[in-house]
Amino acid sequence: MEGQGRMATPSTGRTPAPSAERLHQDWDELSRFADPDLDGWTRTVFSEAYQASREFIRGRMEDAGLSVTVDAAGNLVGRLAGRAPGAPALMTGSHTDTVRSGGRFDGVVGVLGAIEVVRALREAGISLQRDLIVVDFFGEETNEFGLGCLGSRALAGDLGPAHFDRTDPTGTHLGQRYTGSGLDPDRAMTADWGRREPIHRYVELHVEQGPVLEERGSEIGVVTAIAGIERLLARFAGRQDHAGTMPMGDRRDALVAASEAVLAIRREGCGAPVYGVATTSRVDSQPGSPNVVPGSTSLYAELRSIDPDWLSSAKQRLAQEISAKAAEYGVAAEIEWRHDNDVVPADPDIQDVVAATADELGLTWEAQPSGATHDAAHIARLCPAGMVFVPSQAGRSHCPEEFTSTEHIEKGVRVLASTLVALDPL
Amino acid sequence: MEGQGRMATPSTGRTPAPSAERLHQDWDELSRFADPDLDGWTRTVFSEAYQASREFIRGRMEDAGLSVTVDAAGNLVGRLAGRAPGAPALMTGSHTDTVRSGGRFDGVVGVLGAIEVVRALREAGISLQRDLIVVDFFGEETNEFGLGCLGSRALAGDLGPAHFDRTDPTGTHLGQRYTGSGLDPDRAMTADWGRREPIHRYVELHVEQGPVLEERGSEIGVVTAIAGIERLLARFAGRQDHAGTMPMGDRRDALVAASEAVLAIRREGCGAPVYGVATTSRVDSQPGSPNVVPGSTSLYAELRSIDPDWLSSAKQRLAQEISAKAAEYGVAAEIEWRHDNDVVPADPDIQDVVAATADELGLTWEAQPSGATHDAAHIARLCPAGMVFVPSQAGRSHCPEEFTSTEHIEKGVRVLASTLVALDPL
């Protein structure tokens, strides 16, 4: 694709010039909102730190000249009016919540970056024809209810009663947490943006969260697709025996069967033909007592790929291999797949515009899939959507070590600004 | 060894004849003492059910004609006076506490069986020269403080301040639990039987807890040794990464390294030259979130054997193999071995007497190691000690399915009684 994309020409002769200094300052200030009791930076969705941080974001949006509202789903929505009222708007944004003990960049780049785009547009005297909508999406990170992208999901019309019935490990319903945060679940379910107004294009700036851009020395990632996710819960039923008295050959050890599955899952990921990964995150064995052969084990894993065919065939192969291997140990395996996310291809035109913009700005770029899910995956149901990545140092993410330099962020913000300008013409 | 042992000739012409009916009735009554909130039969060491059940045992001991005391370590001690006061006594016994959701036979066979021996001796008009001491040892099963054989340990002089400083998962000290049960930790530490009086021989009747006797059709197990135990705590330090964005080849997955270790541990157990088993009971990975590559993992395993050389060489081989395999995945392994129990050989003379007694009674027997630890392993520090096993159905133990027929128990009690008679002469 390199060099073959459509050229992105701003509608004025001037180019928006984001300020690294302002970005740096915003980062410093936002980073102060974090749970003091945990390592790194923690602003989980229903926390006080998150609530306080969004007041800060709202202030920054207003300072940049956006009219700000909070929608029924908790999304913080800033609007910069364009010259052609009624034309479908451009939308950009991301999220400012974090995982527990997370970092300062995941999501934040797309929100503070978008606010800087607005400031840079105004400074450059560029006024768009379309309204530009900047969204700080509510609760993107997967929470203790096993659900992420709360705000973008609602906006895409995909938040329903079953979601609010989910419970966390303490038995609290998601709906109760909404109410406790001043949100009405019934109203949140009606926040579908498609009912309100059409959106022209959505572009999201984000950190890569992987090592590829840094390894290849590229400044910009042009996202080709957001990976689909299939989650696996495998339950192994063997037989609980005394670990001192049951001879090795007579055992039906559920943890041994699960360990074979962990290795099979890894091999499947290593053999993926295009982008594909396979991860076991957890193996719980019962009873877990030092002198007892594990009688039952649960294994939690996931597959991700941008290739639906591979996802589908890998699921079949793994189900067969895990069951067959378990049977060799006299252990029964029950395999349950839960479909999490479809593969979401990025809009090809937006990919071309981002790539051409990077070329024009003299930045090196790389076409790449996103292994992580983003708000863009949901907004893609409303309009053509695309993403711009900037490098993550050593590929680290969801940890305090997560880092992207202000220099890299500033380049990403330049690409985002010019891309939005290039997508603006009616 | 079969058929070559010394013959055991009772000192009178009569043979003690235990009553299956009385045994059955005692079982029924003792089984009523159990925590009603848990499956199976639960009488953990500091529970109300255990405390109540021991009043019942005390009553049965007294009914059988024993003088009963509770020593400073919580052991229930019944004594049948012999004809030669001052001669070192014979001792038998076992325990009546259980694991959580355990069975009705582990330990109980050796206590109710010993009480029946006393009744049968009296019925047969056999009076021993030596005192016969029947002990219901306090808290044999490993408790939430990670310690078992509380009573027999104290009796052997091996219960010290470090034991009482141990804490359970709630942070309570073992010493506090003793005090709460009306026992004084300082006095419990002085319960060393060796300071009070010498013991001539100790013989313990117990269920096998494994499948070997049943598989081979043998009625009696002559225990050759109690296995030594080495416990392993392996900590794997990899790197926590986003499971969607970190390519397979760049990962340092601590759970994959631990899974290889589980399989290596199993292989080591399968390759043991004589009796040896190797078991991983638990693998904990952090952080355990579905979208995160595990950065650190802890693995809990143990080796058991009656061959100290194999235990020692297997520890070395496993440490090397686990570390080398982890290094292939870029994961550091920290290997910590904790010595739990030495190998305790059973006294050869007692083995011969048990085997000869079984022959004399027309019972089939098998020489076999004990993979489980027993009170006998501690009492062996005080005097020559041996054990008699009876079959466990399907080898099940530490579970509600644990079962040994009254017929098999009654045969074991006959062997125990005749063995004690054979060991009595001054």
Side-chain angles (χ1 to χ4, degrees):
Chain A
M1 186 160 71
E2 188 157 7
Q4 294 174 7
R6 292 189 316 197
M7 295 303 283
T9 314
S11 57
T12 72
R14 302 170 71 181
T15 306
S19 156
E21 197 179 326
R22 280 193 303 240
L23 284 166
H24 194 80
Q25 193 183 331
D26 281 356
W27 242 272
D28 267 3
E29 294 193 30
L30 178 57
S31 300
R32 286 183 200 144
F33 299 94
D35 185 329
D37 297 333
L38 288 167
D39 281 347
W41 289 266
T42 304
R43 286 189 301 274
T44 52
V45 58
F46 298 107
S47 67
E48 283 178 30
Y50 182 51
Q51 209 141 13
S53 76
R54 297 187 101 215
E55 282 305 308
F56 165 78
I57 297 290
R58 184 189 186 115
R60 275 291 179 280
M61 282 182 170
E62 288 171 344
D63 292 348
L66 295 165
S67 321
V68 184
T69 54
V70 179
D71 75 6
N75 297 305
L76 199 50
V77 180
R79 184 184 290 260
L80 180 70
R83 286 178 284 120
L90 292 165
M91 185 181 274
T92 185
S94 194
H95 64 96
T96 52
D97 65 310
T98 72
V99 296
R100 282 170 65 95
S101 302
R104 288 163 294 168
F105 301 92
D106 173 0
V108 175
V109 161
V111 175
L112 293 183
I115 294 171
E116 180 57 23
V117 164
V118 173
R119 291 187 292 231
L121 287 173
R122 291 165 64 104
E123 256 180 8
I126 301 167
S127 74
L128 300 174
Q129 299 202 67
R130 301 174 186 277
D131 286 5
L132 175 60
I133 299 169
V134 175
V135 189
D136 178 7
F137 292 104
F138 186 65
E140 190 264 1
E141 299 292 357
T142 300
N143 50 40
E144 64 268 45
F145 300 89
L147 195 68
C149 295
L150 297 177
S152 51
R153 199 182 286 273
L155 219 135
D158 190 25
L159 192 69
H163 292 124
F164 288 110
D165 277 348
R166 290 198 186 195
T167 51
D168 68 9
T170 72
T172 305
H173 286 268
L174 178 59
Q176 293 171 269
R177 296 304 292 274
Y178 264 65
T179 310
S181 288
L183 292 167
D184 177 347
D186 288 333
R187 288 192 59 230
M189 283 189 271
T190 66
D192 184 352
W193 197 281
R195 299 188 190 182
R196 289 185 260 170
E197 61 167 294
I199 302 296
H200 177 57
R201 297 285 185 275
Y202 175 78
V203 186
E204 180 171 351
L205 177 66
H206 207 281
V207 290
E208 181 198 352
Q209 305 182 263
V212 175
L213 292 178
E214 184 180 77
E215 279 173 6
R216 301 194 185 164
S218 294
E219 293 159 311
I220 297 295
V222 179
V223 174
T224 56
I226 296 172
I229 307 179
E230 300 285 348
R231 295 201 195 276
L232 167 64
L233 168 54
R235 293 188 192 84
F236 297 89
R239 195 185 55 210
Q240 182 173 325
D241 284 307
H242 193 297
T245 58
M246 187 55 67
M248 299 303 290
D250 290 335
R251 295 183 175 200
R252 295 167 50 196
D253 187 324
L255 181 53
V256 167
S259 300
E260 292 276 11
V262 171
L263 301 181
I265 289 163
R266 179 182 173 275
R267 280 194 300 273
E268 192 61 61
C270 291
V274 292
Y275 163 79
V277 288
T279 311
T280 306
S281 53
R282 196 166 144 187
V283 169
D284 292 338
S285 58
Q286 292 298 331
S289 309
N291 57 352
V292 182
V293 178
S296 64
T297 304
S298 301
L299 175 153
Y300 302 84
E302 56 160 53
L303 303 178
R304 298 191 188 211
S305 175
I306 53 164
D307 179 353
D309 292 340
W310 179 77
L311 281 173
S312 155
S313 64
K315 280 167 60 180
Q316 284 181 25
R317 281 191 302 273
L318 276 175
Q320 279 171 9
E321 186 175 355
I322 290 171
S323 300
K325 205 72 194 172
E328 287 177 26
Y329 296 104
V331 172
E334 186 190 318
I335 306 285
E336 182 185 334
W337 289 101
R338 282 191 283 194
H339 177 67
D340 195 279
N341 265 26
D342 281 328
V343 177
V344 179
D347 178 66
D349 285 348
I350 295 179
Q351 293 181 52
D352 287 350
V353 173
V354 172
T357 299
D359 279 339
E360 205 166 78
L361 296 171
L363 300 171
T364 54
W365 61 271
E366 192 81 41
Q368 64 174 172
S370 171
T373 293
H374 299 287
D375 292 306
H378 295 276
I379 304 305
R381 299 178 64 159
L382 293 176
C383 66
M387 292 190 76
V388 180
F389 275 177
V390 288
S392 291
Q393 186 174 290
R396 307 299 307 281
S397 183
H398 282 189
C399 57
E401 295 81 5
E402 182 179 86
F403 184 74
T404 299
S405 69
T406 307
E407 188 192 341
H408 273 130
I409 294 169
E410 186 264 341
K411 287 172 183 166
V413 175
R414 279 162 67 199
V415 171
L416 176 63
S418 292
T419 297
L420 290 168
V421 167
L423 292 170
D424 180 50
L426 297 181
Chain B
M1 186 160 73
E2 187 156 7
Q4 294 173 11
R6 293 190 315 201
M7 294 303 285
T9 313
S11 58
T12 74
R14 302 170 71 179
T15 307
S19 153
E21 196 179 329
R22 281 193 303 241
L23 284 166
H24 194 81
Q25 192 183 332
D26 282 355
W27 242 271
D28 266 3
E29 294 193 30
L30 178 57
S31 299
R32 288 184 199 143
F33 299 93
D35 185 328
D37 297 334
L38 288 167
D39 280 349
W41 289 265
T42 303
R43 286 189 301 271
T44 53
V45 57
F46 298 107
S47 67
E48 283 178 31
Y50 183 50
Q51 211 142 14
S53 74
R54 297 186 100 216
E55 282 306 308
F56 165 80
I57 296 291
R58 185 189 187 115
R60 276 290 179 280
M61 283 183 169
E62 287 171 345
D63 292 349
L66 295 165
S67 325
V68 184
T69 53
V70 178
D71 75 6
N75 297 305
L76 199 51
V77 181
R79 185 185 289 259
L80 181 70
R83 286 178 284 122
L90 292 166
M91 185 181 274
T92 184
S94 194
H95 63 96
T96 51
D97 64 314
T98 72
V99 297
R100 282 170 65 92
S101 302
R104 288 163 293 170
F105 302 91
D106 173 0
V108 175
V109 161
V111 176
L112 293 184
I115 294 170
E116 179 57 25
V117 164
V118 173
R119 290 187 292 231
L121 287 174
R122 290 167 64 104
E123 258 180 7
I126 301 168
S127 73
L128 300 175
Q129 300 203 65
R130 301 174 185 275
D131 285 5
L132 174 60
I133 299 168
V134 175
V135 189
D136 177 6
F137 291 104
F138 186 63
E140 189 264 2
E141 299 291 356
T142 300
N143 51 39
E144 64 267 47
F145 301 87
L147 197 68
C149 295
L150 297 177
S152 52
R153 200 182 285 275
L155 220 136
D158 190 25
L159 192 69
H163 292 124
F164 288 109
D165 277 348
R166 292 199 184 194
T167 51
D168 69 8
T170 73
T172 305
H173 288 268
L174 178 59
Q176 293 172 270
R177 298 302 293 274
Y178 264 66
T179 309
S181 288
L183 291 168
D184 177 347
D186 288 335
R187 286 192 59 231
M189 283 187 274
T190 65
D192 182 353
W193 196 282
R195 300 189 189 181
R196 288 186 260 171
E197 62 168 291
I199 302 297
H200 177 57
R201 296 286 185 273
Y202 175 78
V203 185
E204 180 171 350
L205 176 66
H206 206 280
V207 290
E208 179 197 357
Q209 305 183 265
V212 175
L213 292 178
E214 184 181 76
E215 279 172 7
R216 301 193 185 164
S218 294
E219 293 161 310
I220 296 295
V222 179
V223 175
T224 55
I226 296 172
I229 307 181
E230 300 286 346
R231 294 202 195 276
L232 167 65
L233 168 54
R235 292 187 192 85
F236 297 89
R239 195 186 55 211
Q240 183 173 324
D241 284 306
H242 193 297
T245 59
M246 188 55 70
M248 299 303 290
D250 291 336
R251 297 183 173 198
R252 294 166 51 195
D253 187 324
L255 180 53
V256 168
S259 299
E260 291 276 12
V262 171
L263 300 182
I265 289 162
R266 179 181 173 276
R267 280 193 301 272
E268 191 60 61
C270 290
V274 291
Y275 163 78
V277 288
T279 310
T280 306
S281 53
R282 193 166 146 187
V283 168
D284 291 338
S285 58
Q286 293 297 329
S289 311
N291 57 351
V292 182
V293 178
S296 63
T297 303
S298 300
L299 176 153
Y300 302 84
E302 56 161 54
L303 303 179
R304 298 192 187 211
S305 176
I306 52 163
D307 178 354
D309 291 339
W310 180 77
L311 282 172
S312 157
S313 64
K315 278 167 63 180
Q316 284 181 25
R317 280 192 302 274
L318 275 177
Q320 280 172 8
E321 186 175 356
I322 290 171
S323 299
K325 204 71 191 171
E328 288 178 25
Y329 295 104
V331 172
E334 188 190 316
I335 306 285
E336 183 185 333
W337 288 102
R338 283 191 284 196
H339 176 68
D340 196 278
N341 264 26
D342 281 330
V343 177
V344 179
D347 178 68
D349 284 347
I350 296 180
Q351 294 180 52
D352 287 350
V353 173
V354 173
T357 299
D359 280 339
E360 206 166 81
L361 296 172
L363 301 172
T364 55
W365 59 271
E366 191 80 38
Q368 65 173 167
S370 170
T373 292
H374 299 287
D375 292 307
H378 295 275
I379 304 306
R381 298 178 65 161
L382 292 176
C383 67
M387 292 190 77
V388 179
F389 275 178
V390 287
S392 292
Q393 185 173 290
R396 307 299 306 280
S397 183
H398 283 188
C399 57
E401 294 82 6
E402 182 179 271
F403 183 75
T404 299
S405 68
T406 307
E407 187 192 343
H408 273 130
I409 294 170
E410 186 263 341
K411 288 172 183 167
V413 175
R414 280 163 64 199
V415 171
L416 175 64
S418 292
T419 297
L420 290 168
V421 168
L423 293 170
D424 180 53
L426 296 181

